[in-house]
Coordinates of all heavy atoms in Angstrom, one line a residue:
M1 N 0.9 -11.4 2.6 CA -0.5 -10.8 2.6 C -0.4 -9.6 3.5 O 0.1 -9.6 4.6 CB -1.5 -11.9 3.2 CG -2.8 -11.3 3.2 SD -4.0 -12.6 3.7 CE -4.9 -12.8 2.2
L2 N -1.0 -8.5 3.0 CA -0.9 -7.3 3.7 C -2.1 -7.1 4.6 O -3.1 -7.7 4.4 CB -1.0 -6.1 2.6 CG 0.1 -5.9 1.6 CD1 -0.2 -4.9 0.6 CD2 1.4 -5.5 2.4
S3 N -1.9 -6.3 5.6 CA -2.9 -5.9 6.6 C -3.9 -5.0 5.9 O -3.7 -4.4 4.8 CB -2.4 -5.3 7.8 OG -1.9 -4.0 7.5
D4 N -5.1 -4.8 6.4 CA -6.1 -4.0 5.8 C -5.7 -2.6 5.7 O -5.9 -1.9 4.7 CB -7.4 -4.1 6.6 CG -8.1 -5.4 6.5 OD1 -7.9 -6.1 5.5 OD2 -8.9 -5.7 7.4
N5 N -5.0 -2.1 6.7 CA -4.5 -0.7 6.7 C -3.4 -0.5 5.6 O -3.5 0.5 4.8 CB -3.7 -0.3 8.0 CG -4.8 0.0 9.2 OD1 -5.9 0.3 8.8 ND2 -4.4 0.0 10.3
A6 N -2.5 -1.4 5.5 CA -1.4 -1.3 4.4 C -2.1 -1.4 3.1 O -1.7 -0.6 2.1 CB -0.4 -2.4 4.6
R7 N -3.0 -2.3 2.9 CA -3.7 -2.5 1.6 C -4.5 -1.2 1.2 O -4.4 -0.7 0.0 CB -4.7 -3.6 1.6 CG -5.2 -4.0 0.2 CD -6.1 -5.2 0.3 NE -5.7 -6.3 1.0 CZ -6.1 -6.7 2.1 NH1 -7.1 -6.2 2.7 NH2 -5.6 -7.8 2.8
K8 N -5.1 -0.6 2.2 CA -5.9 0.7 1.9 C -5.0 1.8 1.6 O -5.2 2.6 0.6 CB -6.7 1.0 3.1 CG -7.7 2.2 2.9 CD -8.7 2.3 4.0 CE -9.7 3.3 3.6 NZ -10.8 3.3 4.6
I9 N -3.9 2.0 2.3 CA -2.9 3.0 2.0 C -2.3 2.9 0.7 O -2.1 3.8 -0.1 CB -1.8 3.1 3.2 CG1 -2.5 3.4 4.5 CG2 -0.7 4.1 2.8 CD1 -3.3 4.7 4.5
L10 N -1.9 1.6 0.3 CA -1.4 1.4 -1.0 C -2.3 1.8 -2.1 O -1.9 2.4 -3.1 CB -0.9 -0.1 -1.1 CG -0.3 -0.5 -2.5 CD1 1.0 0.2 -2.7 CD2 -0.1 -2.0 -2.4
R11 N -3.6 1.4 -2.0 CA -4.5 1.7 -3.1 C -4.7 3.2 -3.1 O -4.8 3.8 -4.2 CB -5.9 1.0 -2.7 CG -5.8 -0.5 -2.7 CD -5.1 -1.2 -3.9 NE -5.7 -0.7 -5.1 CZ -5.0 -0.5 -6.2 NH1 -3.7 -0.8 -6.3 NH2 -5.5 -0.1 -7.3
I12 N -4.8 3.9 -2.0 CA -5.0 5.4 -2.0 C -3.8 6.0 -2.7 O -4.0 6.9 -3.6 CB -5.2 5.9 -0.6 CG1 -6.6 5.4 0.0 CG2 -5.1 7.4 -0.6 CD1 -6.7 5.7 1.5
M13 N -2.6 5.6 -2.3 CA -1.4 6.2 -2.9 C -1.3 5.9 -4.4 O -1.0 6.9 -5.2 CB -0.2 5.6 -2.2 CG 0.0 6.1 -0.8 SD 1.4 5.2 0.1 CE 2.8 5.9 -0.8
Y14 N -1.7 4.7 -4.8 CA -1.6 4.3 -6.2 C -2.6 5.2 -7.0 O -2.2 5.8 -8.1 CB -1.9 2.9 -6.4 CG -1.8 2.5 -7.8 CD1 -0.6 2.2 -8.4 CD2 -3.0 2.3 -8.6 CE1 -0.6 1.7 -9.8 CE2 -3.0 1.8 -9.8 CZ -1.8 1.6 -10.5 OH -1.7 1.2 -11.8
F15 N -3.8 5.3 -6.6 CA -4.8 6.0 -7.4 C -4.6 7.5 -7.3 O -4.8 8.2 -8.3 CB -6.2 5.7 -6.9 CG -6.7 4.3 -7.4 CD1 -7.0 3.3 -6.5 CD2 -6.7 4.0 -8.8 CE1 -7.4 2.1 -6.9 CE2 -7.1 2.8 -9.2 CZ -7.5 1.8 -8.3
H16 N -4.1 8.0 -6.2 CA -3.8 9.5 -6.1 C -2.7 9.8 -7.1 O -2.7 10.8 -7.8 CB -3.4 9.8 -4.7 CG -3.4 11.3 -4.4 ND1 -2.3 12.1 -4.8 CD2 -4.3 12.1 -3.9 CE1 -2.5 13.4 -4.4 NE2 -3.8 13.4 -3.9
R17 N -1.7 8.9 -7.1 CA -0.5 9.2 -8.1 C -1.0 9.1 -9.6 O -0.7 9.9 -10.4 CB 0.6 8.2 -7.9 CG 1.8 8.6 -8.7 CD 2.9 7.6 -8.8 NE 2.3 6.5 -9.5 CZ 2.9 5.3 -9.6 NH1 4.0 5.1 -9.0 NH2 2.4 4.3 -10.3
Q18 N -1.9 8.2 -9.9 CA -2.4 8.0 -11.2 C -3.2 9.2 -11.6 O -3.2 9.7 -12.7 CB -3.3 6.8 -11.3 CG -2.5 5.5 -11.2 CD -1.6 5.2 -12.4 OE1 -0.6 5.9 -12.5 NE2 -2.0 4.3 -13.2
H19 N -4.0 9.8 -10.7 CA -4.9 10.9 -11.0 C -4.2 12.3 -11.0 O -4.4 13.1 -11.9 CB -6.1 11.0 -10.0 CG -7.1 12.0 -10.3 ND1 -8.0 11.8 -11.4 CD2 -7.4 13.2 -9.8 CE1 -8.7 12.8 -11.4 NE2 -8.5 13.7 -10.5
F20 N -3.3 12.5 -10.0 CA -2.7 13.8 -9.8 C -1.2 13.9 -10.2 O -0.6 14.9 -10.3 CB -2.8 14.3 -8.3 CG -4.2 14.5 -7.9 CD1 -4.9 13.7 -7.1 CD2 -5.0 15.6 -8.4 CE1 -6.2 13.9 -6.6 CE2 -6.2 15.8 -8.0 CZ -6.9 14.9 -7.1
G21 N -0.6 12.7 -10.4 CA 0.8 12.6 -10.8 C 1.8 12.7 -9.7 O 3.0 12.6 -9.9
V22 N 1.3 12.8 -8.4 CA 2.2 12.9 -7.2 C 1.6 12.0 -6.1 O 0.4 11.8 -6.2 CB 2.4 14.3 -6.8 CG1 3.2 15.2 -7.8 CG2 1.1 14.9 -6.4
L23 N 2.4 11.6 -5.2 CA 1.8 10.9 -4.1 C 1.2 11.9 -3.1 O 1.6 13.0 -3.0 CB 2.9 10.1 -3.4 CG 3.5 8.9 -4.2 CD1 4.7 8.3 -3.5 CD2 2.4 7.9 -4.4
P24 N 0.2 11.4 -2.3 CA -0.5 12.3 -1.4 C 0.3 12.6 -0.2 O 1.1 11.8 0.3 CB -1.7 11.5 -1.0 CG -1.3 10.1 -1.2 CD -0.4 10.1 -2.4
P25 N 0.2 13.8 0.3 CA 0.9 14.1 1.7 C 0.2 13.5 2.8 O -1.0 12.9 2.6 CB 0.8 15.7 1.7 CG -0.3 16.0 0.8 CD -0.4 15.0 -0.2
M26 N 0.8 13.5 4.0 CA 0.2 12.8 5.2 C -1.2 13.3 5.4 O -2.1 12.5 5.8 CB 1.1 13.1 6.3 CG 0.6 12.4 7.6 SD 0.5 10.6 7.5 CE 2.1 10.1 7.9
R27 N -1.5 14.6 5.4 CA -2.9 15.1 5.7 C -3.9 14.5 4.7 O -5.0 14.3 5.1 CB -2.9 16.6 5.7 CG -2.6 17.3 4.5 CD -2.6 18.8 4.6 NE -1.9 19.6 3.6 CZ -2.4 19.6 2.3 NH1 -3.5 19.0 2.0 NH2 -1.7 20.3 1.4
Q28 N -3.5 14.3 3.5 CA -4.5 13.7 2.5 C -4.7 12.2 2.9 O -5.8 11.7 2.8 CB -3.9 13.9 1.1 CG -4.0 15.2 0.5 CD -5.4 15.5 0.2 OE1 -6.2 14.7 -0.2 NE2 -5.7 16.8 0.2
L29 N -3.6 11.5 3.3 CA -3.8 10.1 3.6 C -4.6 10.0 4.9 O -5.5 9.1 5.0 CB -2.4 9.5 3.9 CG -1.5 9.2 2.6 CD1 -0.1 8.8 3.1 CD2 -2.2 8.2 1.7
I30 N -4.5 10.9 5.8 CA -5.3 10.9 7.0 C -6.8 11.1 6.7 O -7.6 10.4 7.1 CB -4.9 12.0 8.0 CG1 -3.5 11.6 8.6 CG2 -5.9 12.1 9.2 CD1 -2.8 12.7 9.4
R31 N -7.0 12.1 5.8 CA -8.4 12.4 5.4 C -9.1 11.3 4.6 O -10.2 10.9 4.8 CB -8.4 13.7 4.6 CG -9.9 14.2 4.3 CD -9.8 15.5 3.6 NE -9.2 15.4 2.3 CZ -9.8 15.0 1.2 NH1 -11.1 14.6 1.2 NH2 -9.2 15.0 0.0
K32 N -8.3 10.7 3.6 CA -8.9 9.8 2.7 C -9.0 8.4 3.3 O -9.9 7.6 3.0 CB -8.1 9.6 1.4 CG -8.2 10.9 0.6 CD -7.4 10.7 -0.7 CE -7.6 12.0 -1.5 NZ -7.0 11.9 -2.8
S33 N -8.1 8.0 4.3 CA -8.1 6.7 4.9 C -8.9 6.6 6.2 O -9.2 5.5 6.6 CB -6.7 6.2 5.1 OG -6.1 6.9 6.1
S34 N -9.2 7.7 6.8 CA -9.7 7.8 8.2 C -8.9 7.1 9.2 O -9.4 6.4 10.1 CB -11.2 7.2 8.1 OG -12.0 7.9 7.3
R35 N -7.6 7.1 9.0 CA -6.6 6.5 9.9 C -5.8 7.6 10.6 O -5.7 8.7 10.0 CB -5.7 5.6 9.3 CG -6.3 4.5 8.4 CD -7.0 3.5 9.3 NE -7.3 2.2 8.6 CZ -8.4 1.9 8.0 NH1 -9.4 2.8 8.0 NH2 -8.7 0.8 7.5
R36 N -5.2 7.3 11.7 CA -4.4 8.3 12.4 C -2.9 8.2 11.8 O -2.6 7.2 11.1 CB -4.3 8.0 13.9 CG -5.6 8.2 14.6 CD -5.6 7.8 16.0 NE -5.4 6.3 16.0 CZ -5.0 5.6 17.0 NH1 -4.6 6.2 18.1 NH2 -4.9 4.3 16.9
S37 N -2.2 9.2 12.0 CA -0.8 9.2 11.4 C 0.0 8.1 11.9 O 0.9 7.6 11.1 CB -0.1 10.6 11.6 OG 0.1 10.8 13.0
V38 N -0.1 7.6 13.1 CA 0.6 6.5 13.6 C 0.3 5.2 12.8 O 1.2 4.4 12.5 CB 0.3 6.3 15.1 CG1 1.0 5.1 15.6 CG2 0.8 7.5 15.9
Q39 N -1.0 5.0 12.6 CA -1.4 3.8 11.8 C -0.9 4.0 10.4 O -0.5 2.9 9.8 CB -2.9 3.8 11.8 CG -3.5 3.4 13.1 CD -5.0 3.6 13.1 OE1 -5.6 4.6 12.7 NE2 -5.7 2.6 13.6
I40 N -0.9 5.2 9.8 CA -0.4 5.3 8.4 C 1.1 5.0 8.3 O 1.6 4.3 7.4 CB -0.7 6.7 7.9 CG1 -2.3 6.8 7.8 CG2 -0.1 7.0 6.6 CD1 -2.8 8.2 7.5
R41 N 1.8 5.5 9.3 CA 3.3 5.3 9.3 C 3.6 3.8 9.5 O 4.5 3.2 8.8 CB 4.0 6.1 10.4 CG 4.0 7.6 10.0 CD 5.2 8.2 10.7 NE 5.1 9.6 10.3 CZ 5.8 10.1 9.3 NH1 6.4 9.3 8.5 NH2 5.8 11.4 9.0
A42 N 2.8 3.1 10.3 CA 3.0 1.6 10.5 C 2.6 0.9 9.2 O 3.3 0.0 8.7 CB 2.1 1.1 11.6
A43 N 1.6 1.3 8.4 CA 1.3 0.8 7.2 C 2.3 1.0 6.1 O 2.7 0.2 5.3 CB -0.1 1.3 6.7
L44 N 2.9 2.2 6.1 CA 4.0 2.6 5.2 C 5.2 1.7 5.5 O 5.9 1.2 4.6 CB 4.4 4.0 5.3 CG 3.3 5.0 4.7 CD1 3.7 6.4 5.1 CD2 3.2 4.8 3.2
Q45 N 5.5 1.5 6.8 CA 6.6 0.6 7.1 C 6.4 -0.9 6.7 O 7.3 -1.5 6.2 CB 6.9 0.7 8.6 CG 8.1 -0.1 9.1 CD 9.4 0.5 8.4 OE1 9.6 1.6 8.6 NE2 10.2 -0.4 7.8
E46 N 5.2 -1.3 6.8 CA 4.9 -2.6 6.4 C 5.0 -2.7 4.9 O 5.6 -3.7 4.3 CB 3.4 -3.0 6.8 CG 3.0 -4.4 6.3 CD 1.6 -4.7 6.7 OE1 1.0 -4.0 7.6 OE2 1.0 -5.7 6.2
L47 N 4.5 -1.7 4.1 CA 4.6 -1.7 2.7 C 6.1 -1.7 2.3 O 6.5 -2.4 1.3 CB 3.9 -0.5 2.0 CG 2.4 -0.6 2.1 CD1 1.8 0.8 1.8 CD2 1.9 -1.7 1.3
A48 N 6.9 -0.9 2.9 CA 8.4 -0.9 2.7 C 9.0 -2.3 3.0 O 9.9 -2.7 2.2 CB 9.1 0.2 3.4
D49 N 8.6 -2.9 4.1 CA 9.2 -4.1 4.4 C 8.9 -5.2 3.5 O 9.7 -6.1 3.2 CB 8.8 -4.6 5.8 CG 9.4 -3.7 6.9 OD1 10.4 -3.0 6.7 OD2 8.8 -3.7 8.1
E50 N 7.7 -5.2 2.9 CA 7.2 -6.2 1.9 C 7.6 -5.8 0.5 O 7.2 -6.5 -0.5 CB 5.7 -6.3 2.0 CG 5.2 -6.9 3.3 CD 5.6 -8.3 3.5 OE1 5.6 -9.1 2.5 OE2 5.8 -8.8 4.6
H51 N 8.4 -4.7 0.3 CA 8.9 -4.2 -1.0 C 7.7 -3.8 -2.0 O 7.8 -4.1 -3.2 CB 9.8 -5.3 -1.7 CG 10.9 -5.6 -0.8 ND1 12.0 -4.7 -0.6 CD2 11.2 -6.7 -0.1 CE1 12.8 -5.3 0.3 NE2 12.4 -6.5 0.6
Y52 N 6.6 -3.3 -1.5 CA 5.6 -2.6 -2.3 C 6.0 -1.2 -2.6 O 5.6 -0.7 -3.7 CB 4.2 -2.7 -1.6 CG 3.6 -4.1 -1.7 CD1 3.8 -5.0 -0.6 CD2 2.9 -4.5 -2.7 CE1 3.2 -6.2 -0.7 CE2 2.3 -5.7 -2.8 CZ 2.5 -6.6 -1.7 OH 1.9 -7.8 -1.8
I53 N 6.7 -0.6 -1.7 CA 7.1 0.8 -1.9 C 8.6 0.9 -1.4 O 9.1 0.1 -0.6 CB 6.3 1.8 -1.1 CG1 6.4 1.7 0.4 CG2 4.8 1.8 -1.6 CD1 5.7 2.8 1.2
A54 N 9.3 1.9 -1.9 CA 10.6 2.3 -1.4 C 10.4 3.6 -0.6 O 10.0 4.6 -1.2 CB 11.6 2.5 -2.6
W55 N 10.7 3.5 0.7 CA 10.4 4.6 1.6 C 11.3 4.4 2.8 O 11.5 3.4 3.3 CB 8.9 4.6 2.0 CG 8.5 5.6 3.0 CD1 8.4 7.0 2.7 CD2 8.2 5.5 4.3 NE1 8.0 7.6 3.9 CE2 7.9 6.7 4.8 CE3 8.2 4.3 5.2 CZ2 7.5 6.9 6.2 CZ3 7.8 4.5 6.5 CH2 7.5 5.8 7.0
R56 N 11.8 5.5 3.2 CA 12.6 5.6 4.5 C 11.8 6.1 5.6 O 11.2 7.2 5.5 CB 13.9 6.4 4.3 CG 14.9 5.8 3.3 CD 16.0 6.7 3.2 NE 16.9 6.1 2.2 CZ 18.2 5.8 2.4 NH1 18.7 6.1 3.6 NH2 19.0 5.4 1.4
P57 N 11.8 5.4 6.8 CA 11.1 5.9 7.9 C 11.5 7.3 8.3 O 12.8 7.5 8.3 CB 11.3 4.9 9.0 CG 11.7 3.7 8.2 CD 12.4 4.1 7.0
G58 N 10.6 8.1 8.7 CA 11.0 9.5 9.0 C 10.8 10.5 7.9 O 10.7 11.7 8.1
N59 N 10.8 10.0 6.7 CA 10.5 10.9 5.6 C 9.0 11.0 5.3 O 8.3 10.1 5.7 CB 11.2 10.3 4.3 CG 12.7 10.5 4.3 OD1 13.2 11.1 5.1 ND2 13.3 9.8 3.4
P60 N 8.6 12.1 4.7 CA 7.1 12.2 4.4 C 6.7 11.2 3.5 O 7.5 10.7 2.6 CB 7.0 13.6 3.8 CG 8.4 14.2 3.8 CD 9.4 13.3 4.4
P61 N 5.4 10.8 3.5 CA 4.9 9.7 2.6 C 5.0 10.1 1.1 O 5.2 9.2 0.2 CB 3.5 9.5 3.0 CG 3.2 10.5 4.0 CD 4.4 11.2 4.4
E62 N 5.0 11.4 0.7 CA 5.1 11.8 -0.6 C 6.5 11.5 -1.3 O 6.6 11.7 -2.5 CB 4.7 13.2 -0.9 CG 5.4 14.3 -0.1 CD 4.8 14.6 1.2 OE1 3.9 13.8 1.7 OE2 5.1 15.7 1.8
T63 N 7.5 11.2 -0.4 CA 8.8 10.8 -1.0 C 8.9 9.3 -1.4 O 10.0 9.0 -1.8 CB 9.9 11.2 0.0 OG1 9.7 10.4 1.3 CG2 9.9 12.7 0.4
A64 N 7.9 8.6 -1.1 CA 7.9 7.1 -1.3 C 7.8 6.9 -2.8 O 7.4 7.8 -3.6 CB 6.8 6.4 -0.7
V65 N 8.3 5.7 -3.3 CA 8.2 5.4 -4.7 C 7.5 4.1 -4.7 O 7.8 3.1 -4.0 CB 9.6 5.2 -5.3 CG1 9.5 4.6 -6.7 CG2 10.4 6.4 -5.3
I66 N 6.4 4.0 -5.4 CA 5.5 2.7 -5.5 C 6.3 1.8 -6.5 O 6.5 2.1 -7.6 CB 4.1 3.1 -6.0 CG1 3.5 4.0 -5.0 CG2 3.4 1.8 -6.2 CD1 2.1 4.4 -5.3
L67 N 6.6 0.6 -5.9 CA 7.2 -0.4 -6.7 C 6.1 -1.4 -7.3 O 6.3 -1.8 -8.4 CB 8.2 -1.2 -5.9 CG 9.3 -0.4 -5.2 CD1 10.1 -1.3 -4.3 CD2 10.1 0.3 -6.3
E68 N 5.1 -1.7 -6.5 CA 4.0 -2.5 -7.0 C 2.7 -1.9 -6.5 O 2.5 -1.6 -5.3 CB 4.0 -3.9 -6.4 CG 5.1 -4.8 -7.0 CD 5.1 -6.2 -6.5 OE1 4.0 -6.8 -6.6 OE2 6.0 -6.7 -5.9
G69 N 1.7 -1.7 -7.4 CA 0.5 -1.0 -7.0 C -0.7 -1.9 -6.6 O -1.7 -1.4 -6.1
W70 N -0.4 -3.2 -6.8 CA -1.5 -4.2 -6.4 C -0.9 -5.2 -5.4 O 0.3 -5.5 -5.5 CB -2.0 -4.9 -7.6 CG -2.6 -4.0 -8.6 CD1 -1.9 -3.5 -9.7 CD2 -3.9 -3.5 -8.6 NE1 -2.7 -2.6 -10.4 CE2 -4.0 -2.6 -9.7 CE3 -5.0 -3.6 -7.8 CZ2 -5.1 -1.9 -10.1 CZ3 -6.2 -2.9 -8.1 CH2 -6.2 -2.1 -9.3
E71 N -1.7 -5.7 -4.6 CA -1.3 -6.8 -3.7 C -1.0 -8.0 -4.4 O -1.7 -8.4 -5.4 CB -2.4 -7.1 -2.6 CG -1.9 -8.1 -1.6 CD -2.9 -8.3 -0.5 OE1 -4.1 -8.0 -0.7 OE2 -2.6 -8.7 0.6
R72 N 0.1 -8.7 -4.1 CA 0.5 -10.0 -4.7 C -0.5 -11.1 -4.4 O -1.1 -11.1 -3.2 CB 1.8 -10.4 -4.3 CG 2.9 -9.4 -4.6 CD 4.3 -9.9 -4.2 NE 5.2 -8.8 -4.1 CZ 5.6 -8.2 -3.0 NH1 5.4 -8.7 -1.9 NH2 6.4 -7.2 -3.1
E73 N -0.8 -12.0 -5.3 CA -1.7 -13.1 -5.1 C -0.9 -14.2 -4.4 O 0.3 -14.5 -4.8 CB -2.3 -13.6 -6.4 CG -3.2 -12.6 -7.0 CD -3.9 -13.1 -8.2 OE1 -3.9 -14.4 -8.5 OE2 -4.4 -12.3 -9.0
E74 N -1.4 -14.8 -3.5 CA -0.8 -16.0 -2.8 C -1.1 -17.1 -3.8 O -2.2 -17.4 -4.2 CB -1.5 -16.2 -1.5 CG -1.3 -15.1 -0.5 CD 0.2 -15.0 0.0 OE1 0.8 -16.1 0.1 OE2 0.6 -13.9 0.3
H75 N 0.0 -17.9 -4.0 CA -0.1 -19.1 -4.8 C -0.7 -20.2 -4.0 O 0.0 -20.6 -3.0 CB 1.3 -19.4 -5.4 CG 1.8 -18.4 -6.3 ND1 1.2 -18.3 -7.6 CD2 2.7 -17.5 -6.2 CE1 1.9 -17.3 -8.2 NE2 2.8 -16.8 -7.4
Q76 N -1.8 -20.7 -4.4 CA -2.5 -21.8 -3.7 C -2.2 -23.1 -4.5 O -2.2 -23.0 -5.7 CB -3.9 -21.5 -3.5 CG -4.2 -20.3 -2.7 CD -5.7 -20.0 -2.5 OE1 -6.5 -20.7 -3.0 NE2 -6.0 -19.0 -1.8
P77 N -2.1 -24.2 -3.8 CA -1.9 -25.4 -4.6 C -3.1 -25.7 -5.5 O -4.2 -25.5 -5.1 CB -1.7 -26.5 -3.4 CG -2.3 -25.8 -2.3 CD -2.2 -24.4 -2.4
T78 N -2.9 -26.2 -6.6 CA -3.9 -26.6 -7.5 C -4.2 -28.1 -7.3 O -3.2 -28.9 -7.3 CB -3.6 -26.3 -9.0 OG1 -2.3 -27.0 -9.3 CG2 -3.4 -24.8 -9.2
W79 N -5.4 -28.4 -7.2 CA -5.8 -29.8 -7.0 C -6.3 -30.4 -8.3 O -7.1 -29.7 -9.0 CB -6.9 -29.9 -5.9 CG -6.4 -29.4 -4.6 CD1 -6.5 -28.1 -4.1 CD2 -5.7 -30.1 -3.6 NE1 -5.9 -28.0 -2.9 CE2 -5.4 -29.2 -2.6 CE3 -5.2 -31.4 -3.5 CZ2 -4.7 -29.6 -1.4 CZ3 -4.6 -31.8 -2.4 CH2 -4.3 -30.9 -1.4
K80 N -5.8 -31.5 -8.6 CA -6.3 -32.2 -9.9 C -7.2 -33.4 -9.5 O -6.9 -34.1 -8.6 CB -5.1 -32.7 -10.7 CG -4.2 -31.6 -11.2 CD -3.1 -32.1 -12.0 CE -2.2 -31.0 -12.5 NZ -1.0 -31.6 -13.3
R81 N -8.2 -33.4 -10.2 CA -9.1 -34.6 -10.0 C -8.7 -35.7 -10.9 O -8.2 -35.6 -11.9 CB -10.5 -34.2 -10.5 CG -11.3 -33.5 -9.5 CD -12.8 -33.4 -9.9 NE -13.5 -33.2 -8.7 CZ -14.8 -33.0 -8.7 NH1 -15.4 -32.9 -9.8 NH2 -15.4 -32.7 -7.6
R82 N -8.9 -36.9 -10.4 CA -8.5 -38.1 -11.1 C -9.7 -38.7 -11.7 O -10.8 -38.6 -11.4 CB -7.9 -39.1 -10.1 CG -6.6 -38.7 -9.6 CD -6.0 -39.8 -8.8 NE -4.7 -39.3 -8.4 CZ -3.8 -40.1 -7.8 NH1 -4.1 -41.4 -7.6 NH2 -2.6 -39.7 -7.5

């Protein structure tokens, strides 16, 4: 399960790429998410660790590759009534 920051950054990146064809630069992520660059980099690292994006720390966010555009659903046990 992603944190709120990571989920928001993923959605912004996904929709920006769908609309403009490229990933947003850091200044666009700061403006659209109302987060600081430190928070955005932490979210990008979390997304990379969870394999939602392919990104190397230290590179600009526009060099990332989105692997999954939506958060994965947690599989909850299904209960059967007798």
Side-chain angles (χ1 to χ4, degrees):
M1 182 174 244
L2 294 173
S3 67
D4 290 338
N5 283 340
R7 187 178 315 111
K8 185 170 191 171
I9 296 300
L10 179 63
R11 301 308 308 143
I12 291 169
M13 291 172 69
Y14 179 80
F15 285 120
H16 193 279
R17 188 192 68 190
Q18 293 291 73
H19 187 73
F20 296 107
V22 295
L23 290 175
M26 181 61 83
R27 61 181 165 71
Q28 286 287 329
L29 288 174
I30 291 170
R31 187 177 64 81
K32 290 181 178 184
S33 68
S34 300
R35 306 290 197 267
R36 293 175 292 160
S37 61
V38 174
Q39 293 171 311
I40 293 171
R41 289 205 179 271
L44 290 171
Q45 184 62 52
E46 180 181 346
L47 290 169
D49 291 344
E50 295 289 327
H51 303 290
Y52 284 93
I53 63 172
W55 177 73
R56 291 181 184 236
N59 288 349
E62 56 267 20
T63 62
V65 175
I66 297 176
L67 304 175
E68 289 187 56
W70 300 95
E71 184 176 21
R72 297 178 199 113
E73 292 183 19
E74 296 290 327
H75 294 285
Q76 298 178 359
T78 56
W79 299 91
K80 294 182 181 179
R81 278 193 158 172
R82 290 185 178 191

